[in-house]
Amino acid sequence: FHQKTYHDLIAMIRQLGTPTWFLTSSADMKWPDMIQTTARQHGVHYTDEEVNNLSFEEKSKWLRQNPVTTARHFEFRLNSLFNDFLKSSAHPLGEICDYAIRIEFQQN
């Protein structure tokens, strides 16, 4: 899969030219809503401040509790960034005609 994605991206660069913008992101533990979403499924309601005061191990535990929710929440945020901001009529980076997305999952 990754090899095919790589070849597709190289073909895109040959056809369209060098990319003008690049973004890398992760399902960051500094996103309080990421922890809050999973915790709510277990009846725990955290404020942003409470999430910020959790240890790395506690945040990791919540993300591992339901990796599907974590992945879906990340996808929602990524789609919101693209559809509601970057590809909006405001065109904050100019009009986006072509783009490629590659998502990798890593164990926490």
Side-chain angles (χ1 to χ4, degrees), residues 56-92:
F56 176 84
E57 290 78 20
E58 291 171 310
K59 291 178 183 179
S60 295
K61 180 194 87 155
W62 281 116
L63 296 179
R64 284 192 306 267
Q65 286 280 3
N66 193 337
V68 173
T69 296
T70 301
R72 291 187 71 196
H73 193 77
F74 177 77
E75 180 183 35
F76 170 79
R77 287 184 71 136
L78 185 64
N79 287 337
S80 295
L81 171 67
F82 268 84
N83 297 324
D84 300 336
F85 182 64
L86 297 176
K87 292 171 57 179
S88 72
S89 60
H91 302 295

Side-chain angles (χ1 to χ4, degrees), residues 15-57:
Q15 182 72 26
L16 302 170
T18 305
T20 55
W21 192 69
F22 181 82
L23 168 73
T24 186
S25 182
S26 65
D28 201 316
M29 288 192 218
K30 293 181 182 175
W31 295 348
D33 55 313
M34 183 75 73
I35 307 297
Q36 291 163 334
T37 300
T38 300
R40 269 195 308 272
Q41 293 178 327
H42 297 275
V44 178
H45 298 274
Y46 286 124
T47 65
D48 289 358
E49 185 177 336
E50 290 171 326
V51 171
N52 290 334
N53 291 328
L54 292 174
S55 69
F56 176 84
E57 290 78 20

